[in-house]
Amino acid sequence: MMPSNAPAKLVYLDNNATTRIDPKVLDTMIPYLDEFYGNPSSIYELGSTVGRSMEKAREKVQSLIGAKYSSEVIFTSSATEATTTAIMSALEAQPQKKRL
């Protein structure tokens, strides 16, 4: 909720810290933030339902980026995790390299 003395139009310049969620993404994600919040790696029904949805999402991304295998698409929980995954993958793919 905006304070009553807030300007009529907000200009947000801190997208480096966080960015507003696109309304289409929000609409897609609401069920997983509200009703289907289970751990996708779990074997119980709620979790496996979310896991199946994640696999469908992975396949959509695979198609979008032209990846050969869905296993090439990795979802991470943060920019730090994504960066670490990319660095570790680069090191594993080329162990003879001493510098990145």
Side-chain angles (χ1 to χ4, degrees), residues 17-32:
T18 188
T19 303
R20 184 176 185 186
I21 297 173
D22 183 283
K24 293 176 191 174
V25 173
L26 181 60
D27 287 345
T28 301
M29 288 303 300
I30 285 293
Y32 301 100

Side-chain angles (χ1 to χ4, degrees), residues 7-93:
K9 182 172 178 161
L10 176 69
V11 177
Y12 186 76
L13 300 174
D14 196 15
N15 285 307
N16 187 51
T18 188
T19 303
R20 184 176 185 186
I21 297 173
D22 183 283
K24 293 176 191 174
V25 173
L26 181 60
D27 287 345
T28 301
M29 288 303 300
I30 285 293
Y32 301 100
L33 299 171
D34 181 39
E35 186 179 351
F36 301 105
Y37 51 85
N39 179 345
S41 300
S42 297
I43 60 172
Y44 55 85
E45 186 57 33
L46 180 61
S48 56
T49 297
V50 175
R52 286 189 296 275
S53 295
M54 283 189 64
E55 286 310 311
K56 288 179 186 174
R58 190 181 316 279
E59 290 168 3
K60 287 182 180 180
V61 173
Q62 173 193 358
S63 176
L64 179 69
I65 65 173
K68 189 171 184 179
Y69 305 103
S70 64
S71 61
E72 295 176 283
V73 178
I74 301 171
F75 295 133
T76 61
S77 62
S78 67
T80 301
E81 186 179 352
T83 303
T84 301
T85 301
I87 291 169
M88 297 305 290
S89 297
L91 290 171
E92 187 175 323

